[in-house]
Amino acid sequence: MKTKTPSAKSGNQTIRSGRFDTGPDAVLETINASIGFDKRLYGQDIAGSKAHCAMLVATGILDRKDGEEILKGLERIEMEIEAGEFTFETALEDIHMNIEARLRELIGNAAGRLHTARSRNDQVATDFRLWVREAIDASGLALRELQAALIDRAEEHADTLLPGFTHLQAAQPVSFGHHLLAYVEMFGRDRGRLDDCRARLNESPLGAAALAGTSFPIDREMTAATLGFDRPMANSMDAVSDRDFALEFLAASAMAMTHLSRLAEEIVFWSSTPLGFVRLSDAFSTGSSIMPQKRNPDAAELVRGKAGRALGALSALLVVMKGLPLTYSKDMQEDKEPVFDTADTLLLCLAAMTGMVRDLEVNAERMRAAMDSGYTTATDLADWLVRVLGRSFREAHRITGEIVKLAEKQGMDLESLSLKEMQGIEPGITQAVFDVLGIERSVASRVSLGGTAPANVREAAEKARARFL
Ligand code: ARG
């Protein structure tokens, strides 16, 4: 099965010339090539090359005329790629060699001078940092959009009540707006994690060369500034060999996807037939091929499902990196696909979630019905026994438990029990207890900081707007 047919571009002539007698085996060419995916780095690669070229001219390493030719050639290549007129060659391995080879076709020998004082090792590290930086900025904006949608809906539904769950058992009534604002906090922290990652990422590897630096009098401050980095990375070996910036991005994204997945799960649950708390808009519902009555929440299910890919990507790259000695090993070419896939997945899921949240139809009656006979104001009764009768909370808990048991036996909710029935269990109880047994009063009384009272929720939404938007 040995196929020794090097392609027309001769197995990356530029790299192999001089050292090798024959071209690479076709299988080597296939396993070695990254052009199929790293072509996405073309913009960053060209920006990095332009910065490097300008620096080589400024420091007198490259003469001005060659520098101008190179810059013009790079600009033309960028236009060709954007117009879809560029032919990417597997034989040329990766985006860096594809661009360099085309540059040679366009301007001849001067193209060979661009790689002075540079290696693909610092080149790819630079490109990738620039790409991840853009992905972070795009994800941050998309998270913000989702927060804006959640805040709008939270304000609209500050007074809409539903059971808050623990163990998926109706626990205490809460405002639907309060529930949505919980996710605004989570997505705010996700944005913070991306910001942290961006701050640490924003140093320039360019000029580290292969691993040891270079004997040419380069100006790393200049290329760092041109590319919008805060400073050059301090150690050349670190610069070409770590991918912690990619891992941090994957970790922050995995966290955000986990939050998205939980919200997606809630939407699936809320829109389920027995619950019917919400109804997804037609635009976000799918039909069944056999059951005409179905309105399936496919987008929510896919957001939940795609979280799996993001978690997998993080673990894949951690495993790739964990055994690698300094500095560069080709294993590291495996860094790109998980990052590209995760960035795409995160943006798609954020867009889908924002759409679902904006369109969601809320069924307040169904939410309300789920609280009746759920005894969700039992804690309010216990609190009343503490506050008014001076019982210890543990004592109050026991008394309330007995009252709930009685209500359950009679098939009624707490509010419907008579005063006499309650006094049978605790003689101190007075008519005033009915003030706290209603669901509206229960929710309205939760005015502690961060609590669910609708008045709180309206204020919290306003504050969230100021903090996040
Ligand atoms: N395509 C390579 C990558 O993505 C570029 C760096 C190649 N460096 C090398 N020493 N072979 O990692």
Side-chain angles (χ1 to χ4, degrees):
M1 268 292 286
K2 245 193 163 171
T3 30
K4 272 239 168 64
T5 12
S7 62
K9 292 249 173 179
S10 180
N12 213 337
Q13 242 167 21
T14 17
I15 301 179
R16 296 180 69 93
S17 55
R19 181 70 181 81
F20 297 93
D21 293 330
T22 63
D25 190 282
V27 175
L28 171 58
E29 201 170 278
T30 305
I31 194 172
N32 209 25
S34 53
I35 189 62
F37 48 88
D38 71 11
K39 57 179 156 208
R40 290 184 71 167
L41 296 175
Y42 80 87
Q44 292 75 18
D45 196 67
I46 289 171
S49 286
K50 283 162 95 177
H52 183 65
C53 176
M55 181 278 290
L56 290 178
V57 171
T59 51
I61 300 169
L62 182 67
D63 78 48
R64 190 159 298 279
K65 214 180 119 296
D66 284 343
E68 275 164 18
E69 290 288 293
I70 290 171
L71 287 183
K72 264 198 285 177
L74 288 170
E75 266 155 30
R76 162 118 188 238
I77 291 171
E78 185 155 35
M79 274 162 47
E80 288 177 355
I81 295 177
E82 260 147 31
E85 287 160 5
F86 190 97
T87 327
F88 294 101
E89 303 264 3
T90 308
L92 290 168
E93 227 179 287
D94 57 25
I95 187 63
H96 324 294
M97 300 316 298
N98 267 268
I99 289 177
E100 190 180 317
R102 178 65 183 140
L103 191 62
R104 188 181 313 275
E105 279 174 10
L106 289 172
I107 68 166
N109 272 342
R113 299 194 182 278
L114 173 60
H115 215 51
T116 313
R118 181 176 82 167
S119 151
R120 275 188 299 164
N121 295 348
D122 59 338
Q123 190 177 357
V124 73
T126 304
D127 295 0
F128 202 27
R129 276 178 191 257
L130 291 174
W131 196 94
V132 173
R133 192 173 74 186
E134 282 177 35
I136 289 174
D137 292 345
S139 314
L141 282 178
L143 279 162
R144 186 176 176 278
E145 289 293 302
L146 175 54
Q147 287 180 301
L150 288 164
I151 294 170
D152 284 348
R153 300 309 307 265
E155 252 166 3
E156 184 190 333
H157 288 287
D159 294 296
T160 306
L161 308 184
L162 80 167
F165 296 95
T166 62
H167 314 270
L168 217 49
Q169 306 282 319
Q172 291 176 350
V174 293
S175 145
F176 187 54
H178 194 57
H179 196 134
L180 296 180
L181 288 180
Y183 283 98
V184 171
E185 295 298 319
M186 295 177 229
F187 294 127
R189 289 193 294 275
D190 291 331
R191 282 172 67 187
R193 271 179 281 272
L194 287 168
D195 290 344
D196 291 347
C197 165
R198 191 190 199 285
R200 271 186 295 277
L201 161 156
N202 206 30
E203 294 187 338
S204 173
L206 198 56
L211 75 160
T214 174
S215 57
F216 289 98
I218 57 170
D219 183 350
R220 294 191 58 207
E221 304 279 353
M222 179 178 168
T223 45
T226 309
L227 295 169
F229 287 117
D230 296 329
R231 63 193 79 83
M233 291 180 76
N235 182 294
S236 64
M237 295 179 78
D238 173 43
V240 296
S241 69
D242 206 359
R243 293 294 183 265
D244 58 355
F245 65 93
L247 286 166
E248 279 195 53
F249 170 69
L250 290 176
S253 301
M255 192 72 248
M257 283 299 300
T258 302
H259 289 147
L260 281 167
S261 179
R262 296 188 72 179
L263 179 51
E265 162 58 16
E266 304 226 64
I267 290 176
V268 172
F269 176 59
W270 291 336
S271 64
S272 65
T273 314
L275 241 59
F277 285 3
V278 304
R279 182 179 154 104
L280 287 171
S281 68
D282 285 359
F284 281 96
S285 299
T286 44
S288 154
S289 58
I290 173 167
M291 296 161 286
Q293 84 282 12
K294 297 288 287 293
R295 295 175 68 85
N296 294 334
D298 286 24
E301 291 167 303
L302 282 163
V303 168
R304 191 176 60 186
K306 282 176 190 291
R309 302 164 73 112
L311 308 196
L314 169 62
S315 120
L317 188 55
L318 281 168
V319 175
V320 167
M321 295 306 296
K322 69 170 278 296
L324 297 185
L326 301 190
T327 52
Y328 181 86
S329 297
K330 200 62 178 260
D331 313 47
M332 285 159 67
Q333 184 164 282
E334 289 293 309
D335 59 1
K336 289 169 206 69
E337 286 164 292
V339 168
F340 291 160
D341 187 68
T342 296
D344 294 343
T345 300
L346 179 58
L347 284 181
L348 179 61
C349 291
L350 284 167
M353 188 54 82
T354 305
M356 284 187 278
V357 167
R358 285 228 174 269
D359 282 15
L360 217 61
E361 225 179 87
V362 174
N363 190 328
E365 292 78 58
R366 297 294 298 256
M367 290 179 172
R368 177 75 210 205
M371 283 181 294
D372 294 338
S373 78
Y375 307 110
T376 53
T377 56
T379 318
D380 298 271
L381 172 54
D383 286 350
W384 187 90
L385 295 170
V386 171
R387 211 172 40 244
V388 180
L389 301 189
R391 299 308 185 95
S392 77
F393 186 78
R394 279 291 156 245
E395 230 182 321
H397 187 278
R398 180 193 51 78
I399 297 165
T400 305
E402 282 180 38
I403 296 175
V404 167
K405 194 153 83 183
L406 175 70
E408 203 172 31
K409 212 168 85 194
Q410 309 200 358
M412 36 176 57
D413 54 32
L414 290 178
E415 258 183 301
S416 315
L417 284 176
S418 70
L419 181 60
K420 248 179 73 201
E421 285 168 317
M422 286 197 246
Q423 284 171 338
I425 292 166
E426 166 52 62
I429 293 181
T430 65
Q431 185 65 30
V433 78
F434 289 98
D435 285 353
V436 303
L437 294 183
I439 281 162
E440 275 71 21
R441 281 177 200 267
S442 160
V443 177
S445 73
R446 304 266 188 263
V447 289
S448 57
L449 195 147
T452 193
N456 270 25
V457 172
R458 270 183 280 275
E459 205 185 305
E462 207 173 297
K463 281 193 181 146
R465 222 177 263 293
R467 282 162 65 212
F468 295 120
L469 306 183

